[in-house]
Amino acid sequence: GTVQPGNYPLKVRATGGNISREADLSLTVTAAPPPPPSPGFTLSLNPTGLSVPQGGSGTTTLTLTPQGDFTGAVSLSLVGAPQGVTLSPTGLQVTGSGPVTQALTISVAGTVQPGNYPLKVRATGGNISREADLSLTVDQAPALVLVTLRDTYSTLQGAYYRVGFGAWTALSFQSGQASFPAQGNVDYEVALRCGDSLQFFKASTAQTRTASFVCSSGPGPQSVTVNFTVQVPSQIGGRPVADGDLVVVSSLNISAQPISNGQATLQVQLPPGNQKVLVSVFRVDTSGGSPQLEPIGGKLVDVNVPQSGGSLTVNNQGYAAFAVRNISATLPSGFSGNVFVLFFKDGMKSFGVAGGFGKYGVLPGAGGVYLGNFFAQKDDYSETLGVLKDTGGADWNVDIPSPWPQNGFSASGTTFTLAYPNAQAYGLELTGLARDAQTGDPLRVRAFLYPSGSATTFTLPDLRAQLGYSLAPSGSNVGYNAFATVRGAGSPAEILFEVSNPELTESLLRNLDFAFATKRGSYTLP
């Protein structure tokens, strides 16, 4: 094997005795054939560079060419990738001698910092490992506004958005969500037509990048009638229980009945199924002129409400005395109202009553949330004030919002100015302003507005052709209800207002502090 290839003139010599003879021989030495290749493979990528935004993904194609009868499983991985950059799939199978192509997806989490990342795609099969270079550029994610829609009965007829004073652009929803880009601190608007209502949203990206709409929320929970016979002991925690004291059972239509001969019978509405209900006992005290509820005690009861309703009996065992807490609220001049504290615990399907009119009771060891519910209205019904607050089971001194200032609302045609001190957000409902362009049926107009200063101005967008509405004729009477959120804008309390009978949870109500003031009236359309 060491002889160099070439032509060699040789002689073959034969010698015997004293005689020697030779014959010519021409020898040609050729190069030895190369040895067969050992099993292995080569890699290539196309393209070799990707630009991917934060939260996005990109695709490149890997080609693996087997050598030397290589077959089997090959694992794939990224080398040099920062946390949040992943590869899919992470393997392939080689079954023949031909090249294998595989699309590779590179996913980039939203937390990956923008920049250039030199990576390698590594393929490992058997004892063989090969790498191919891949240059990854992570770009800044586009700033988006997320729009969510709850539309149980598919009543949406059109949706549009605009950024700044740009053109209105159609908005499409997938699985109840849509989004659009809005870079920097800019104002944006969203407009929807849902059945017989026009809905609008206006904010800046610095205030919120989420706009939520409810077109149709579906019916509330099914309810059935249950006749409760509630038996009570003669005393709860040393406090006597007497005929005439009230029993309240948590339900969708909270009702109370007086005790007679150690029991009370109540007819309540509850959703079917297993659930907890709160049974509360109160004494009505009218000695001070105004009625007061003196909390005595109660208990949580597990019940299974049949689909057809029926009758249930609560025995007189297991009651615990309420720990009494005080409620204080000073109403502004010209307002009248009431305040209750409701109780909710996971496992319940409706609120229970913990008290009101100055006092409420905390059930020892029960946990749950005590939701203060304050509502007052002006004597002429032109204004209302409200608070929803998780009291934490402590005394509650209600922080009541101030009434609307005298010049806090003005209307001129389809332009409205709202001014309430330190308002976090505004709502506006209008009746008599818009009609269906085809049928002439009235449409309700609703707008949710984040303030743009001490006073916020909203002009009804001219989307009559797109959303299929027309304006009422000159001289029409337009009713308005202006809503100022004083505390808790964007909180779960808005779900309680927007969606009938939502799925209640303790987490939805925990730490809630939502306060609002409304002003209603009417004006003449010029």
Side-chain angles (χ1 to χ4, degrees):
T2 60
V3 177
Q4 295 298 312
N7 295 316
Y8 296 90
L10 307 178
K11 292 181 182 291
V12 177
R13 177 180 291 166
T15 301
N18 295 321
I19 303 168
S20 178
R21 297 288 186 270
E22 294 179 346
D24 292 330
L25 176 65
S26 178
L27 174 65
T28 299
V29 177
T30 60
S38 58
F41 54 83
T42 61
L43 292 182
S44 65
L45 295 173
N46 184 28
T48 58
L50 294 175
S51 293
V52 180
Q54 292 171 301
S57 62
T59 302
T60 185
T61 298
L62 177 144
T63 300
L64 184 150
T65 303
Q67 297 176 330
D69 297 326
F70 175 86
T71 59
V74 176
S75 63
L76 304 174
S77 61
L78 286 176
V79 179
Q83 185 174 1
V85 175
T86 58
L87 172 72
S88 178
T90 57
L92 55 80
Q93 193 76 23
V94 178
T95 58
S97 60
V100 178
T101 60
Q102 175 65 58
L104 301 181
T105 299
I106 310 298
S107 299
V108 177
T111 55
V112 179
Q113 293 298 311
N116 297 316
Y117 297 90
L119 311 179
K120 293 180 183 293
V121 175
R122 176 179 290 168
T124 302
N127 297 320
I128 303 166
S129 184
R130 298 286 185 268
E131 294 178 347
D133 292 331
L134 176 66
S135 175
L136 174 65
T137 299
V138 176
D139 299 322
Q140 184 85 31
L144 298 176
V145 172
L146 176 65
V147 184
T148 62
L149 174 68
R150 181 167 180 167
D151 189 15
T152 305
Y153 294 119
S154 301
T155 62
L156 180 68
Q157 298 181 33
Y160 294 83
Y161 77 90
R162 73 172 177 179
V163 178
F165 295 100
W168 287 94
T169 303
L171 193 62
S172 298
F173 288 87
Q174 296 292 330
S175 300
Q177 292 190 338
S179 62
F180 57 86
Q183 301 287 353
N185 181 14
V186 294
D187 292 337
Y188 65 92
E189 296 177 75
V190 183
L192 277 71
R193 166 77 185 272
C194 297
D196 63 354
S197 72
L198 301 170
Q199 299 191 38
F200 304 95
F201 185 95
K202 184 177 181 181
S204 73
T205 52
Q207 292 166 325
T208 181
R209 284 187 173 271
T210 301
S212 299
F213 293 86
V214 176
C215 270
S216 56
S217 58
Q222 175 192 359
S223 66
V224 295
T225 300
V226 181
N227 294 308
F228 270 91
T229 299
V230 179
Q231 300 171 351
V232 294
S234 59
Q235 59 86 27
I236 300 176
R239 300 175 188 174
V241 178
D243 285 357
D245 291 339
L246 292 181
V247 170
V248 181
V249 175
S250 56
S251 66
L252 297 176
N253 62 330
I254 296 171
S255 61
Q257 288 294 325
I259 297 170
S260 177
N261 296 320
Q263 68 179 33
T265 301
L266 302 88
Q267 189 175 81
V268 300
Q269 298 293 314
L270 282 172
N274 291 305
Q275 58 197 287
K276 295 180 182 293
V277 297
L278 176 66
V279 177
S280 304
V281 180
F282 300 97
R283 176 159 297 145
V284 180
D285 181 6
T286 58
S287 60
S290 299
Q292 299 287 320
L293 284 181
E294 182 69 33
I296 298 177
K299 65 176 179 177
L300 281 172
V301 181
D302 291 307
V303 299
N304 185 6
V305 177
Q307 290 287 336
S308 58
S311 299
L312 295 172
T313 298
V314 177
N315 64 34
N316 61 4
Q317 304 299 307
Y319 284 86
F322 279 133
V324 179
R325 302 290 185 255
N326 294 314
I327 307 169
S328 58
T330 302
L331 291 173
S333 176
F335 282 79
S336 60
N338 52 57
V339 56
F340 287 93
V341 174
L342 305 175
F343 174 81
F344 183 83
K345 181 178 178 65
D346 287 340
M348 299 176 70
K349 294 187 177 183
S350 56
F351 283 110
V353 176
F357 298 102
K359 294 181 181 180
Y360 75 98
V362 173
L363 196 61
V369 176
Y370 292 85
L371 183 68
N373 186 349
F374 168 84
F375 184 83
Q377 61 188 18
K378 207 167 186 179
D379 295 342
D380 61 0
Y381 303 102
S382 63
E383 295 184 48
T384 58
L385 306 172
V387 178
L388 289 175
K389 181 178 173 60
D390 173 10
T391 69
D395 289 346
W396 184 29
N397 182 14
V398 186
D399 186 6
I400 301 173
S402 301
W404 273 73
Q406 186 173 0
N407 297 318
F409 178 86
S410 64
S412 176
T414 59
T415 297
F416 309 91
T417 301
L418 302 93
Y420 183 99
N422 301 315
Q424 295 180 351
Y426 291 105
L428 182 61
E429 294 189 356
L430 303 163
T431 57
L433 178 62
R435 302 177 179 182
D436 184 279
Q438 298 298 320
T439 66
D441 293 336
L443 299 178
R444 182 177 58 168
V445 177
R446 305 182 69 188
F448 189 85
L449 317 167
Y450 276 83
S452 55
S454 57
T456 291
T457 298
F458 170 71
T459 299
L460 188 71
D462 188 3
L463 291 169
R464 284 176 277 185
Q466 296 91 329
L467 300 182
Y469 71 91
S470 60
L471 296 178
S474 176
S476 297
N477 185 69
V478 177
Y480 67 84
N481 187 13
F483 186 106
T485 299
V486 181
R487 297 190 304 274
S491 73
E494 291 176 357
I495 299 175
L496 298 176
F497 276 94
E498 292 292 341
V499 183
S500 298
N501 300 310
E503 291 296 326
L504 293 171
T505 63
E506 290 185 49
S507 61
L508 182 74
L509 305 174
R510 187 76 66 188
N511 300 318
L512 195 64
D513 186 7
F514 180 74
F516 64 91
T518 70
K519 181 179 180 65
R520 61 176 57 89
S522 63
Y523 73 99
T524 301
L525 194 64

